[in-house]
Amino acid sequence: MLTILGFAMIATFLVLIMTKKMSPIAALVLIPALFCVAVGQGAQLGDYVIEGVGNLAPTAAMLMFAIVYFGVMIDVGLFDPIVRGILKFCQADPMRIVVGTAVLAAIVSLDGDGSTTFMITVSAMYPLYKRLKMSLVVMTGVAATANGVMNTLPWGGPTARAATALKLDASEIFVPMIPALAMGLLAVFVLAYVLGIRERKRLGMLTLDEALAREPEQETVSAGTGGTGGKDRLRKGAAASAYAGGTGTGSGASAGGTENEDEDDDAFQGLDPNRPTLRPKLYWFNAGLTAALLTAMIMELLPIPVLFLLGAALALTVNFPHMPDQRARIAAHADNVLNVSGMVFAAAVFTGVLTGTGMVEHMADWVVGTVPEAMGPHMAIVTGLLSLPLTYFMSNDGFYFGVLPVLAEAGAAHGVSPVEIARASLAGQALHMSSPLVPAVYVLVGMAKVEFGDHTRFTVKWAVLTSLVVLAAGILFGIM
């Protein structure tokens, strides 16, 4: 019964948000609460929620201060040279812009943190997509899939979890997987090229000067169809820009109707060399601080929430020494902080109920039990295939610490080594990064002003395809 109710709860949640009958925050809270009562454990709902909130509180803290930190870095102009470099490569060509999105997301993903990747990628690319009337779900889909492949780095999370759960060395899992992951990343670049060609055919190809010369009008974004229509009313020169001030965007922003372009103009003023928040004399300090922060994250010198808390406080103090300026910068990013952290705590209700009621355990046992005995010698392939739905509907902790040991034990009975099972378990990460249980995805869709349901409908099929490429390459190269 718990198995059926668990799958029913997940299906209900996905249907409601993809059909836009409920907002993600409302669905993440109300659906699990109703199902908790349905399984007869309503009296324990409070305990489950408190436990879920406790587990996700560090993630929420990290996201809050990471948004403030990178928001300040964008305000002071740290990423302006990156945007100019992307502009030089893209030249207002939709195909180059989409490929540039994939390359930028892959490079920034080297820090191992999805939220950081999405904040930097959207900050750099969003104005280009808006100015050229490109589909915003193409941007979010490509960025999420590229980050998903790169999320398998040893310091990214899944590899470390697999190594811990099966008592293996992380390098023993990751290093042999490099060729397969390289093929997955190549698949993302090919996907970006194909989607970019499609956007170029739909929109045409302009020179940068022509793009900048377009008359500012109004735009309607149709993210659900992967396209945009109407006309774009943006301040002249807003193509190829990064945030100049605060973001002021939220996860609940609609991508299916007319955007408030006045807010866009305020948030994305372009590479204005005269914007008051620029701190050119502190550029190398900010670059050094960011490099030190990312290095400390990779080396795990301190917990990530603590690093971002210290980084945000230091960045605000040095760049904006006067209290009114600090308050203004915090207020500028407060809307995004509130939306994303609220989404994380709402997700804590969902994961708390899913875990506390025992649904996730029964679901995992049922899935493993459905594997035919004849597939025993091929448990690595089975694990790779199961990693797609299981890491999408479960947290990485739930999959790697709850399901993976069971799969490894079943494989060992048929002569399949635990390290092969561990490698195969990484195949589904390209899809995992668009899971509703991943807090970073709400940073992505919130800053890009795309509905989560629109992002899901567009991205899932391409993420599944990328994951299958990784799995097929692993089999072809004899890695699993």
Side-chain angles (χ1 to χ4, degrees), residues 257-289:
T258 302
E259 299 276 2
N260 186 336
E261 299 297 344
D262 289 332
E263 293 181 3
D264 286 345
D265 286 347
D266 291 339
F268 298 95
Q269 296 175 11
L271 295 176
D272 180 4
N274 299 314
R275 65 185 192 265
T277 58
L278 281 177
R279 296 294 184 269
K281 293 182 179 179
L282 293 172
Y283 182 85
W284 290 112
F285 167 80
N286 291 315
L289 177 61

Side-chain angles (χ1 to χ4, degrees), residues 139-277:
M139 176 180 66
T140 61
V142 168
T145 308
N147 178 252
V149 175
M150 296 297 289
N151 192 46
T152 54
L153 292 167
W155 54 87
T159 302
R161 288 181 175 91
T164 302
L166 300 184
K167 298 178 174 60
L168 300 169
D169 185 80
S171 61
E172 187 181 7
I173 300 172
F174 176 73
V175 174
M177 276 293 290
I178 290 177
L181 296 173
M183 293 300 296
L185 194 57
L186 178 61
V188 174
F189 293 152
V190 171
L191 169 65
Y193 175 80
V194 171
L195 294 175
I197 290 294
R198 191 170 72 179
E199 286 293 279
R200 180 196 282 174
K201 288 180 179 178
R202 185 175 66 85
L203 299 169
M205 181 175 173
L206 300 174
T207 66
L208 185 58
D209 289 340
E210 289 173 331
L212 293 173
R214 282 184 170 183
E215 288 300 321
E217 293 164 341
Q218 189 162 353
E219 173 189 353
T220 300
V221 180
S222 302
T225 60
T228 59
K231 305 246 177 147
D232 185 12
R233 185 173 62 81
L234 285 174
R235 184 175 290 119
K236 199 155 243 183
S241 59
Y243 287 112
T247 59
T249 66
S251 297
S254 173
T258 302
E259 299 276 2
N260 186 336
E261 299 297 344
D262 289 332
E263 293 181 3
D264 286 345
D265 286 347
D266 291 339
F268 298 95
Q269 296 175 11
L271 295 176
D272 180 4
N274 299 314
R275 65 185 192 265
T277 58

Side-chain angles (χ1 to χ4, degrees), residues 299-345:
M299 297 179 66
E300 299 181 351
L301 298 181
L302 286 172
I304 294 179
V306 176
L307 289 172
F308 274 117
L309 191 155
L310 294 173
L314 187 57
L316 279 168
T317 301
V318 174
N319 288 283
F320 302 97
H322 302 295
M323 284 297 296
D325 294 333
Q326 290 184 19
R327 284 196 294 268
R329 290 302 90 213
I330 292 173
H333 303 289
D335 189 34
N336 210 15
V337 168
L338 179 60
N339 277 285
V340 172
S341 58
M343 197 74 70
V344 173
F345 286 122

Side-chain angles (χ1 to χ4, degrees), residues 303-444:
I304 294 179
V306 176
L307 289 172
F308 274 117
L309 191 155
L310 294 173
L314 187 57
L316 279 168
T317 301
V318 174
N319 288 283
F320 302 97
H322 302 295
M323 284 297 296
D325 294 333
Q326 290 184 19
R327 284 196 294 268
R329 290 302 90 213
I330 292 173
H333 303 289
D335 189 34
N336 210 15
V337 168
L338 179 60
N339 277 285
V340 172
S341 58
M343 197 74 70
V344 173
F345 286 122
V349 179
F350 194 94
T351 57
V353 170
L354 199 62
T355 303
T357 58
M359 289 181 188
V360 69
E361 183 179 352
H362 281 74
M363 291 163 63
D365 290 342
W366 178 82
V367 170
V368 173
T370 59
V371 178
E373 185 69 21
M375 292 299 295
H378 308 289
M379 278 304 294
I381 299 175
V382 171
T383 299
L385 292 173
L386 289 178
S387 72
L388 273 71
L390 291 183
T391 58
Y392 185 80
F393 295 124
M394 300 171 62
S395 67
N396 269 342
D397 285 337
F399 175 71
Y400 285 103
F401 295 120
V403 179
L404 190 61
V406 178
L407 294 172
E409 186 176 346
H414 294 275
V416 181
S417 67
V419 72
E420 292 179 87
I421 299 294
R423 292 169 188 162
S425 70
L426 301 177
Q429 287 303 303
L431 177 61
H432 171 73
M433 285 311 298
S434 288
S435 166
L437 302 181
V438 175
V441 74
Y442 298 111
V443 176
L444 175 64

